[in-house]
Amino acid sequence: MIVGVPREIKEGENRVAMTPAGVHALVRAGHQVLVEQSAGQASGLTDAEYETAGARIVPSSAEVLAEATLVVKVKEPQPSEFHLLRPDHILFTYLHLASSLEVTRALLTAGLTAVGYETIQLPDGRLPLLIPMSEVAGKRATQIGAWCLEAHQQGRGILLGGVPGVAPGEVVILGCGTVGTNAAKVAMGMGAQVTVLDVDHDRLRYLSDIMHGTLITVYADPYTIARACRYADLLIGAVLIPGERTPKLVTREMVQNMRPGSVIVDVSIDQGGCVATAHPTTNAQPIYLECGVVHYAVPNMPAAVPRTSTFALANATIPYILKLAALGVEQAAQQDPAIQAGINVQAGRIVHPGVAHAWAGTLT
């Protein structure tokens, strides 16, 4: 099969979907790999490295998509790429269709098969292609929150770790999956006071055990979320329902009751966000002030550390890319339930239940 790796063009996106090691593995397996010129440059990967691994460098994404059957990306196609999509394409990338009607419509119109990294799901419920980027986003969420709390960003002017004689900052994390756990680790490492809210008792118990009782765990409901918002210096939204739009658990009223200069980092924004006042921002203009609260809501947070993120993502995706290239999407899905779970749209139809639920009544 011909595998194509176009350069990412989403604003602020510096990752690339494949490393030279991935190219080498595919070529050894008998496949051809096309890489767009300079696709890996922002991640510190040169065209020469890809060529040495066996790739053919082509000058444009149009040429990549014209020849390739399996198209491997990091982010969803952008409007300028829609016309390049064909019914015989297998698109393998982060899709987040539940939060983008425009992209969903474009993929349905193209008639291709789109497999979302974020919905590849193992029988035990783990999301193996979301985990590495969630680890990066969780760790960055606390670092970004600490930056946003500085006075220069209109924050409260609080040092998260405090100093002797001055109390540390209060970090509240909504959700204790991969993002929430990594955010908590960094926040606690900084010396902040950390509270995590979730509806999963077992997960709360696990975090309490591994953090040796220094983490405050709270069962999440509207009352406890509202209470936590009132004392939070930094609120991190880390809620995920695989494939579905994120519920708005933090209402506008809750945000209005937060202290002026406090900070919200909504990591869930790529699935619509869990905070009512959050809307997507960019790496070029990442923050805005609403209700007196600093909001950060960049959907592609790992793109700011592209070399780490590219290698972490590519290490996780290459086994699935090899399987799709060897078998095609139909046979690969039959052999691997995780790939079947990852299919979002196929032949002009939505096949993932989460995406179908998100756009029920909107798309016919």
Side-chain angles (χ1 to χ4, degrees):
M1 186 176 287
I2 300 177
V3 181
V5 183
R7 181 174 58 85
E8 298 296 321
I9 61 171
K10 183 168 184 172
E11 192 283 327
E13 185 52 68
N14 298 308
R15 292 170 289 181
V16 62
M18 193 176 298
T19 61
V23 171
H24 183 259
L26 283 162
V27 171
R28 284 192 62 187
H31 306 291
Q32 298 179 53
V33 183
L34 310 179
V35 176
E36 184 180 351
Q37 186 177 9
S38 302
Q41 184 174 1
S43 294
L45 297 168
T46 66
D47 291 346
E49 290 177 90
Y50 283 107
E51 285 184 306
T52 300
R56 177 158 61 92
I57 304 299
V58 296
S60 70
S61 60
E63 293 183 54
V64 172
L65 271 68
E67 292 191 51
T69 299
L70 175 56
V71 179
V72 183
K73 293 180 86 280
V74 176
K75 296 301 292 181
E76 71 280 359
Q78 301 301 294
S80 63
E81 298 172 307
F82 290 167
H83 72 285
L84 301 174
L85 303 174
R86 303 192 313 265
D88 63 317
H89 275 150
I90 303 167
L91 176 65
F92 193 35
T93 187
Y94 284 120
L95 293 169
H96 298 296
L97 296 185
S99 63
S100 178
L101 182 59
E102 180 185 31
V103 176
T104 303
R105 279 183 168 147
L107 299 187
L108 293 175
T109 300
L112 49 65
T113 299
V115 184
Y117 292 162
E118 74 277 9
T119 54
I120 294 282
Q121 190 164 20
L122 301 176
D124 63 4
R126 284 182 297 137
L127 303 166
L129 306 190
L130 194 59
I131 286 172
M133 295 301 92
S134 294
E135 291 170 337
V136 173
K139 290 180 177 181
R140 286 206 68 226
T142 302
Q143 295 173 340
I144 289 164
W147 174 73
C148 289
L149 278 168
E150 295 177 3
H152 294 299
Q153 318 309 328
Q154 304 182 74
R156 295 193 70 212
I158 287 177
L159 183 67
L160 277 185
V163 293
V166 181
E170 294 276 0
V171 177
V172 171
I173 302 170
L174 189 55
C176 63
T178 304
V179 169
T181 299
N182 281 274
K185 286 179 181 177
V186 173
M188 294 176 68
M190 287 181 169
Q193 178 67 59
V194 184
T195 302
V196 174
L197 298 94
D198 204 297
V199 294
D200 188 334
H201 285 289
D202 290 337
R203 186 67 184 173
L204 290 172
R205 186 175 297 110
Y206 168 75
L207 282 186
S208 182
D209 287 344
I210 65 170
M211 301 297 186
H212 306 293
T214 58
L215 179 75
I216 298 171
T217 58
V218 177
Y219 184 79
D221 58 38
Y223 178 84
T224 57
I225 294 171
R227 182 181 62 187
C229 286
R230 286 194 295 270
Y231 67 74
D233 295 308
L234 168 59
L235 173 68
I236 296 174
V239 178
L240 173 69
I241 301 175
E244 295 202 28
R245 189 180 297 127
T246 309
K248 302 292 186 184
L249 300 181
V250 178
T251 66
R252 175 173 287 273
E253 182 181 4
M254 293 177 188
V255 175
Q256 289 171 337
N257 288 330
M258 294 177 71
R259 290 177 289 197
S262 54
V263 172
I264 293 172
V265 176
D266 194 349
V267 184
S268 305
I269 198 66
D270 54 8
Q271 286 290 109
C274 65
V275 179
T277 52
H279 61 74
T281 59
T282 66
N283 284 301
Q285 294 183 306
I287 62 175
Y288 62 93
L289 198 69
E290 187 160 345
C291 303
V293 176
V294 181
H295 290 60
Y296 177 102
V298 175
N300 53 337
M301 289 174 63
V305 285
R307 189 166 178 87
T308 295
S309 298
T310 287
F311 279 88
L313 179 60
N315 289 342
T317 58
I318 191 60
Y320 295 95
I321 295 170
L322 285 164
K323 191 171 291 187
L324 287 167
L327 303 175
V329 70
E330 297 285 354
Q331 192 173 347
Q334 290 175 7
Q335 293 190 14
D336 190 340
I339 291 177
Q340 180 65 58
I343 300 174
N344 281 222
V345 300
Q346 191 167 29
R349 297 181 300 109
I350 296 175
V351 297
H352 190 279
V355 179
H357 179 260
W359 301 121
T362 304
L363 294 166
T364 58

